[in-house]
Amino acid sequence: MSLSASFRCTAGCPGSWPLDTVIYQCPACGELLEVNHDMEALKQQSGDEWKATFDRRWMTRQWPYGSGVWGKKEWVQPHLRDENVVSTAEGGSNLFWAERYGKSLGLDELWIKNCGNSHTGSFKDLGMTVLVSTVKQMIADGKPIKAIACASTGDTSAALAAYCASAGIPSVVLLPKGKISTAQLVQPLANGAKVCALDTDFDGCMAIVQKLAMEQGIYLANSMNSLRLEGQKTVAIEIAQQFDWDVPDWVVIPGGNLGNVAALGAGFDMLFELGLVTRRPRLILAQAQQANPLYRAYKAGYDNFEAITAGATEASAIRIGNPVSVRRAIRTLKKFDGIVEQASEAELAEASASADRSGAYTCPHTGVALAALEKQVAAGNVQPGQRVVVISTANGLKFTQFKIRYHESRIEGVTSKHPNTPVDLPNDYEAVKRAVLSGFDL
Ligand SMILES: *Cc1c(COP(=O)(O)O)cnc(C)c1O
Ligand SMILES: [Zn+2]
């Protein structure tokens, strides 16, 4: 099989560029690029043969195919030589059946795809392995790259720093000062990145890193770089695989810069076009009300997208007012008959807490997605017999302060409905017994 993939303009301008070209935007029109695979070559293998290939590799010890991303290597980055793969065995994350929470909403089949169960605790690992591996190969081939840089709301920088440290490539991260969680700040520090905390918001960091990437030797790792989306795309493939090659009725995903929803769509598209599945799911893109530029555009028929200044939200990783991938996200949502929904701070906090009480441990962004789902169930769009998958984008353990504030009823503007705090007791059996037994109808 002679496979190939290259960059091309998402707006359809002519031209294509090899994946090891330092290029992020179309030179003719300035639009983002996408990775275009030679689908005819991929069709040389039937849908059933691809399923067998992917199933054989799932969680195998045969390096690098045990990675959820590299097990799909032909669909992701066919030009990468195995010796340049920088992997932490990312992907293959579990689907959690949120049975009790789902049933409380009237849904028999609510599943949470735990993309936060990953090396650095978010789905960003899936894209970063592709980007850093490709850069490693570029450096091996003599390209003059000195460092990889990104602007981040926290998780991108954690992933970039880890993969770069693993590969021995310097990394630089620009963060909005005071606007990310403590865990997210310490991750790139621990991995030895050059961490710059800027006195601005994410959109401000993004503007500066784009200029920085025009300097010789600095390679840009933000999701305007489509290599990342190729790795993130594998979440769609995994979901189908985990349901024995069937797609759910709905996939709900929180969105900020809006690259991930485009990646998800690209994954489902390939599954469909290459004959592994026979339909596409519908999508719900969930935004925090405080950072909802796409929701506003959706309500107005998508025609006039306007960037906003995003307000403070517990869902800090999606606090973005000027999303880089907005146009490709809108294309994806139209194609997948998508809905855009928003969640207030109270709605996201309560949805997160409800899911936790049925055994999940959700980050605030997952809370945004769950709250959006609750609203779409109430609106009658998502129906009881349907199978729903919610993409959990990060591990709840990265957002301890959010959890603590919720349970201590200290989230501003939110009256916690299910706070749970420790019972302080003396070292005394009778007191402990009274406290324990008073909690039950005995
Ligand atoms: C990056 C991120 C998102 C948003 O993904 P986009 O591609 O920017 O829409 C959502 N949740 C978490 C936890 C993230 O780190
Ligand atoms: Zn173009």
Side-chain angles (χ1 to χ4, degrees):
M1 223 185 316
S2 171
L3 299 171
S4 80
S6 55
F7 288 125
R8 71 173 177 196
C9 172
T10 52
C13 299
S16 71
W17 299 267
L19 296 184
D20 61 356
T21 316
V22 180
I23 187 171
Y24 316 108
Q25 278 157 306
C26 172
C29 76
E31 261 293 349
L32 298 182
L33 303 175
E34 65 188 359
V35 174
N36 179 39
H37 291 267
D38 179 347
M39 295 296 281
E40 290 313 311
L42 290 168
K43 281 178 188 163
Q44 299 296 306
Q45 192 163 303
S46 72
D48 283 342
E49 286 167 334
W50 281 119
K51 290 182 198 175
T53 301
F54 294 160
D55 283 342
R56 196 169 56 242
R57 292 173 180 169
W58 182 254
M59 301 289 182
T60 176
R61 276 176 290 128
Q62 194 200 341
W63 194 88
Y65 298 112
S67 151
V69 172
W70 298 111
K72 278 84 183 177
K73 186 177 176 204
E74 296 88 344
W75 291 25
V76 170
Q77 215 306 24
H79 300 290
L80 192 73
R81 302 189 295 275
D82 281 358
E83 77 246 30
N84 293 316
V85 170
V86 184
S87 171
T88 62
E90 52 287 310
S93 59
N94 65 303
L95 271 173
F96 172 73
W97 182 23
E99 182 181 7
R100 292 180 54 238
Y101 174 58
K103 287 191 169 147
S104 76
L105 305 181
L107 297 175
D108 288 331
E109 283 219 44
L110 172 55
W111 300 82
I112 298 179
K113 173 70 170 161
N114 273 322
C115 298
N117 288 351
S118 185
H119 188 69
T120 72
S122 85
F123 78 85
K124 298 296 199 294
D125 290 348
L126 305 172
M128 211 51 84
T129 183
V130 180
L131 185 138
V132 174
S133 299
T134 302
V135 173
K136 185 177 177 194
Q137 179 156 304
M138 290 161 76
I139 293 171
D141 292 345
K143 289 239 157 72
I145 295 172
K146 298 277 174 282
I148 311 182
C150 74
S152 175
T153 52
D155 290 328
T156 299
S157 48
L160 177 66
Y163 283 86
C164 281
S166 175
I169 301 170
S171 63
V172 178
V173 310
L174 307 190
L175 301 168
K177 190 174 183 161
K179 297 187 176 75
I180 65 170
S181 80
T182 311
Q184 290 170 322
L185 174 63
V186 80
Q187 286 182 286
L189 290 171
N191 288 137
K194 173 159 282 185
V195 177
C196 304
L198 273 58
D199 194 8
T200 178
D201 59 6
F202 170 79
D203 298 291
C205 294
M206 191 68 216
I208 290 182
V209 83
Q210 289 191 42
K211 281 195 190 162
L212 208 54
M214 277 143 63
E215 305 285 341
Q216 181 70 6
I218 304 291
Y219 188 84
L220 181 66
N222 278 98
S223 60
M224 60 185 293
N225 185 324
S226 302
L227 290 171
R228 296 238 325 262
L229 304 198
E230 290 309 291
Q232 291 170 206
K233 185 176 80 179
T234 59
V235 169
I237 308 169
E238 284 190 5
I239 290 171
Q241 189 170 12
Q242 286 170 307
F243 287 117
D244 289 327
W245 303 107
D246 192 9
V247 298
D249 297 295
W250 293 92
V251 181
V252 190
I253 183 170
N257 228 359
L258 303 176
N260 209 23
V261 65
L264 194 69
F268 284 119
D269 270 343
M270 281 185 94
L271 286 166
F272 184 79
E273 282 169 33
L274 293 169
L276 284 75
V277 302
T278 52
R279 61 187 183 126
R280 291 185 171 85
R282 288 187 69 186
L283 301 181
I284 298 172
L285 187 284
Q287 292 210 294
Q289 197 169 320
Q290 293 283 87
N292 65 352
L294 184 65
Y295 176 77
R296 294 178 192 212
Y298 167 76
K299 283 288 169 190
Y302 284 133
D303 283 340
N304 294 307
F305 175 83
E306 273 179 56
I308 62 169
T309 300
T313 170
E314 293 294 337
S316 50
I318 53 175
R319 181 179 179 177
I320 296 175
N322 189 14
V324 167
S325 288
V326 65
R327 276 185 292 278
R328 56 180 159 203
I330 291 174
R331 272 198 301 278
T332 301
L333 287 164
K334 285 183 173 168
K335 187 168 189 179
F336 286 78
D337 197 7
I339 291 174
V340 184
E341 183 57 275
Q342 65 174 359
S344 68
E345 295 302 291
E347 288 165 344
L348 76 86
E350 293 305 341
S352 171
S354 300
D356 287 4
R357 286 169 68 85
S358 69
Y361 193 70
T362 51
C363 77
H365 321 85
T366 307
V368 169
L370 294 169
L373 172 63
E374 289 187 14
K375 291 165 94 168
Q376 287 300 318
V377 171
N381 289 325
V382 177
Q383 298 190 348
Q386 294 184 312
R387 178 181 278 170
V388 182
V389 174
V390 169
I391 307 288
S392 176
T393 45
N395 196 306
L397 291 168
K398 283 193 178 202
F399 298 88
T400 305
Q401 290 306 323
F402 161 68
K403 297 281 181 210
I404 291 175
R405 281 199 308 277
Y406 177 84
H407 287 290
E408 294 181 349
S409 301
R410 289 195 290 112
I411 297 182
E412 215 179 308
V414 178
T415 312
S416 305
K417 287 190 188 142
H418 301 291
N420 192 17
T421 51
V423 184
D424 287 330
L425 291 166
N427 180 13
D428 173 68
Y429 178 72
E430 288 303 323
V432 173
K433 181 176 153 190
R434 253 195 322 277
V436 170
L437 298 185
S438 75
F440 303 97
D441 279 335
L442 295 172

